[in-house]
Amino acid sequence: DAVAATRDKSEMRRRFDLAGVPQPRFRTVGGDAAPFADDVIDAAIEIGYPVVVKPIGLAGSRGVIRADDDVDAVAAFERINRLLDTLPGESRTLLVESFVGGPEVAVEGLLVGGDFSCLAIFDKPDPLEGPFFEETIYVTPSRHRVDDQALIIDAVARAAAALGLTEGPVHGEARLGTEPGTVAVLEVAARTI
C-alpha cells in the first residue's frame, strides 16, 4: 500500500496533506474521466500561477511542465496528453500544483524499522525553473546550511512516514523555499536514485 502510494502522485499529495508534510498547494484533475484543458486552467487559477502540471503516474520528471498562464496550461495539458497517448493504460489524471521557487535537492535515505537515516543530500546546482525539469547534475556533499539540511531531512522522513514506508531505500525530492526555514517535499519514492 505504501509503495503503491509513491506511484500515484495524487495519493501521495493526499497523504502528505493529512500528515501536515510541507508541500506545494495542489489540485487533482480528472479521475474516472480524462480531464479537459478547462479543468487544468480552473485548477491553476484556483492555486494561482505559476503552476506545475504533471501526470500522476510517471517518474523521472517525464511530463512535468511549468505553466505561467492559461496559454501555457493548455500547452502543458496537450503535451502531457500526447505523451500519455504513447503509454496505454497510464492514468489520464493530472496533478496541478503551485510552483515552488528556490533550490532543489534530492535526498537518499534508508528506512529500518521505520527509522529514517539520511545517506546523502544532493544539490541540484542547475536552476530548475521550467518549463521542463530535466534531471541534470547532482552534487554532494550538500552546500546548504546545516540547519537547512536538517529541515530537508526531517521533511523527507515525515513524508516517508506519511506514506507508510517502513523498510528499504527512499529517494526524496524537495525544494528549499525562498523564505528562510521553509521546505516543500515534491515527492518520495521507495527506491534509490
Side-chain angles (χ1 to χ4, degrees):
D1 177 63
V3 173
T6 68
R7 295 183 181 155
D8 178 339
K9 289 177 176 61
S10 65
E11 178 61 15
M12 182 185 307
R13 289 273 174 252
R14 187 188 73 75
R15 291 185 187 196
F16 289 176
D17 195 41
L18 289 173
V21 173
Q23 65 178 329
R25 293 182 315 278
F26 69 96
R27 298 292 175 269
T28 302
V29 296
D32 293 336
F36 295 99
D38 287 345
D39 298 328
V40 173
I41 290 171
D42 290 346
I45 290 170
E46 183 180 342
I47 291 168
Y49 287 106
V51 297
V52 175
V53 184
K54 59 177 79 169
I56 65 164
L58 300 183
S61 299
R62 287 187 308 160
V64 178
I65 304 171
R66 177 177 166 160
D68 292 333
D69 54 34
D70 292 355
V71 172
D72 288 351
V74 171
F77 170 80
E78 291 171 349
R79 186 179 180 116
I80 293 167
N81 274 318
R82 285 193 302 275
L83 171 63
L84 294 174
D85 285 344
T86 68
L87 303 167
E90 191 65 48
S91 174
R92 294 289 177 155
T93 302
L94 302 179
L95 194 63
V96 180
E97 58 189 35
S98 59
F99 173 78
V100 177
E104 188 169 322
V105 298
V107 176
E108 291 303 300
L110 190 61
L111 283 164
V112 177
D115 291 328
F116 181 81
S117 294
C118 179
L119 302 174
I121 297 176
F122 293 90
D123 295 347
K124 297 181 180 185
D126 290 340
L128 297 171
E129 300 296 319
F132 307 106
F133 300 89
E134 298 175 26
E135 301 291 334
T136 58
I137 299 170
Y138 285 64
V139 176
T140 196
S142 177
R143 296 177 187 161
H144 293 293
R145 295 177 332 116
V146 172
D147 291 350
D148 288 338
Q149 291 181 44
L151 188 68
I152 292 163
I153 293 167
D154 178 67
V156 171
R158 288 176 47 212
L163 292 167
L165 296 172
T166 59
E167 299 290 335
V170 172
H171 173 76
E173 302 278 339
R175 282 207 180 216
L176 284 168
T178 54
E179 296 295 318
T182 61
V183 66
V185 177
L186 303 178
E187 67 178 53
V188 168
R191 60 172 173 78
T192 61
I193 196 168

